[in-house]
Amino acid sequence: MPGLSAREGEGVRDRVARLVDGHKWAAGPTLVSTLASGIAAATTLVIARGAGAAAFGHFTVVLTIALIVTVGMLTSLHYVMLQELPRSAPERRPALMTTAMLSTLAVSAALATLGMLTAPLLTSVLNVDTRTLAFGLALALSMTLNQLAESFLRGMKRFAFVAGLKLVIAVVYLAGACFCLLVLEVGDAEAYLVALIVTNAAFALVAVAAVGVRPRAWSARLARSLYRHGAYVTCIAALTGVLFGVDVIFLNHWAAPADVGVYSVYNGFPKRLMGVVFTDGIGLALLPMMATTDKSLLMRRIARLVPAVAGVTAVFSFAVSTVFFLLMSGEYPYSLGLMTLSALGIGAHTAFNLYSVALSMDGVRGAKVLIGCLVVGTPFALAALAACIRWQGLAGGLVGFALANLILLAVVAVTAARSYREKGAA
């Protein structure tokens, strides 16, 4: 391997071989889960093509609001469940899941109510109407319950069940979207938002029923413990959720709705595609390796790999997105320049996410380092993003997204190198 001695390279290959041998059981669930995520991502393209750029722009704005609000509703309890359930005694698991679910419902209801009470202020800031805000809050609630319920199944190691359920739900959503487009000829984004909310809720109901949540098992003491556990991750999620969602909000302020829809195809689809590949495709093998590797060594390896990761991701994103653009209608004009900007931004975004995941696998220390990087880099990234979008609209959004990720990548690379420098190193 480049940059490694023969002994180090042989050790890495041995660890990879042991990791693969120990995770052969995951091949089936991983493939099914990846297929389900791919179908879900493809459904957004079906909606984009059939409903048109303006309607898809409205769909994207609602989804963006929901993604930001979900951070506050979920408060990272899904991450806590993934850590706590596998290492907890079987008799303690019902209390963990019940406390997490009921607490999340209470927090979500409170936030949704607060959102509607402050609708005059929020709609002015977000440049949306009250109905759009309400859809965003409803979608956020359904996504919150979906993610939490999935963490229950994964924490209980029911990987085949969750993969199969995700596939069924994804196929149902795709079929529903096709029926609305081809048979009913519905061009309104709200129909597809309702379908997404319903399928998210259906997944959550089935998952909760499968794990056996018992309302009487709720514990106030346990709730306090869970929320303390998720505090650092919630801080990271809040910063990244706003940072990587505000581009759509800015564009909604300074561009036409159709431009928001086109931007989502250029930027949103490849970003989701990379999420599928990274999370469902290689994450299962990558995360355990990161968790057990010496963190100083890990950061040095990542620093060497970042240019290759960014480059390969950019090329892959460019190629795949170009293929999908051939299937889109004339409302989504293909531009070599815009696609190149999109690919560069996705490459930088993936490289930053690699650092982010690696730091998150180092517990509290890594979380503090990442939070510090985000606090330092976010103001500059947001300023660059806002300036570019206000200046050039759609094209500016793609430039701004790339610049924002390059700023964050530079900050986290320098900080990680300093924070994880080996003892005795100059």
Side-chain angles (χ1 to χ4, degrees), residues 14 123 136 237 264 341:
D14 288 343
T123 52
S264 183
L341 289 174

Side-chain angles (χ1 to χ4, degrees), residues 417 421-426:
R421 184 180 298 162
E422 284 186 306
K423 294 181 180 179

Side-chain angles (χ1 to χ4, degrees), residues 265-267 270-271 274 309-322 334-351 398-399 401-402 405-406:
V265 174
Y266 271 105
N267 181 267
K271 191 162 59 174
M274 289 302 104
V309 169
V312 170
T313 302
V315 172
F316 179 75
S317 174
F318 185 97
V320 174
S321 298
T322 298
Y334 178 80
S335 165
L336 182 62
L338 293 180
M339 187 57 71
T340 301
L341 289 174
S342 171
L344 292 174
I346 296 301
H349 184 63
T350 304
L398 296 173
V399 172
F401 182 78
N405 278 280
L406 286 173

Side-chain angles (χ1 to χ4, degrees), residues 7-382:
R7 180 175 296 179
E8 283 180 317
E10 185 176 345
V12 171
R13 286 191 292 272
D14 288 343
R15 283 194 293 274
V16 171
R18 289 196 299 270
L19 188 63
V20 171
D21 289 339
H23 288 80
K24 287 181 178 179
W25 56 267
T30 298
L31 288 174
V32 174
S33 184
T34 302
L35 176 61
S37 298
I39 291 174
T43 302
T44 61
L45 286 182
V46 172
I47 296 170
R49 189 183 192 283
F56 188 58
H58 179 56
F59 181 97
T60 301
V61 170
V62 172
L63 180 60
T64 300
I65 292 172
L67 288 170
I68 294 173
V69 175
T70 297
V71 175
M73 290 183 172
L74 195 53
T75 55
S76 301
L77 289 194
H78 59 316
Y79 282 118
V80 177
M81 290 296 103
L82 290 174
Q83 296 175 37
E84 291 295 330
L85 286 174
R87 64 192 184 195
S88 296
E91 62 272 12
R92 187 170 177 262
R93 291 171 181 168
L96 280 169
M97 292 184 289
T98 298
T99 300
M101 178 57 70
L102 295 184
S103 299
T104 298
L105 282 171
V107 170
S108 299
L111 285 178
T113 301
L114 179 63
M116 293 309 298
L117 290 175
T118 58
L121 174 62
L122 292 177
T123 52
S124 175
V125 171
L126 299 174
N127 193 34
V128 298
D129 56 25
T130 303
R131 188 178 179 88
T132 298
L133 177 63
F135 263 102
L137 294 171
L139 181 57
L141 176 58
S142 73
M143 291 167 60
T144 295
L145 298 179
N146 180 294
Q147 292 182 53
L148 185 61
E150 181 175 346
S151 74
F152 291 167
L153 292 172
R154 291 191 181 278
M156 299 285 283
K157 298 183 179 180
R158 301 184 64 175
F159 301 113
F161 182 86
V162 70
L165 182 58
K166 285 179 66 175
L167 181 59
V168 170
I169 293 295
V171 170
V172 169
Y173 183 45
L174 175 60
C178 291
F179 179 77
C180 289
L181 287 170
L182 301 178
V183 179
L184 301 181
E185 298 183 349
V186 176
D188 188 352
E190 291 185 355
Y192 307 101
L193 291 169
V194 170
L196 184 56
I197 292 169
V198 170
T199 51
N200 281 335
F203 178 96
L205 286 173
V206 173
V208 168
V211 297
V213 169
R214 299 199 298 265
R216 292 185 180 181
W218 184 84
S219 166
R221 180 190 59 79
L222 190 54
R224 289 193 296 269
S225 175
L226 293 177
Y227 280 110
R228 280 198 304 269
H229 192 159
Y232 285 112
V233 181
T234 299
C235 184
I236 294 170
L239 288 168
T240 55
V242 170
L243 184 59
F244 298 128
V246 77
D247 52 349
V248 172
I249 303 299
F250 286 161
L251 201 62
N252 190 52
H253 266 283
W254 293 314
D259 284 342
V260 179
V262 174
Y263 177 82
S264 183
V265 174
Y266 271 105
N267 181 267
F269 172 71
K271 191 162 59 174
R272 283 190 292 272
L273 180 63
M274 289 302 104
V276 171
V277 173
F278 194 83
T279 302
D280 292 325
I282 65 176
L284 190 62
L286 184 64
L287 294 183
M289 181 184 294
M290 285 185 171
T292 57
T293 301
D294 175 78
K295 296 306 179 289
S296 296
L297 177 61
L298 176 63
M299 293 305 164
R300 292 201 307 275
R301 288 176 178 169
I302 288 177
R304 290 194 293 265
L305 285 172
V306 155
V309 169
V312 170
T313 302
V315 172
F316 179 75
S317 174
F318 185 97
V320 174
S321 298
T322 298
V323 171
F324 277 103
F325 252 98
L326 298 176
L327 305 176
M328 304 303 288
S329 65
E331 291 190 53
Y332 302 92
Y334 178 80
S335 165
L336 182 62
L338 293 180
M339 187 57 71
T340 301
L341 289 174
S342 171
L344 292 174
I346 296 301
H349 184 63
T350 304
F352 169 75
N353 280 339
L354 182 60
Y355 266 112
S356 179
V357 170
L359 288 169
S360 298
M361 296 306 292
D362 193 29
V364 173
R365 179 177 68 155
K368 287 181 177 179
V369 170
L370 183 55
I371 290 171
C373 293
L374 289 170
V375 169
V376 171
T378 294
F380 298 100
L382 288 179

Side-chain angles (χ1 to χ4, degrees), residues 384-418:
L385 188 59
C388 289
I389 290 177
R390 189 165 188 175
W391 175 47
Q392 286 292 322
L394 169 61
L398 296 173
V399 172
F401 182 78
L403 283 176
N405 278 280
L406 286 173
I407 290 170
L408 292 172
L409 180 58
V411 172
V412 75
V414 172
T415 305
R418 292 173 61 89

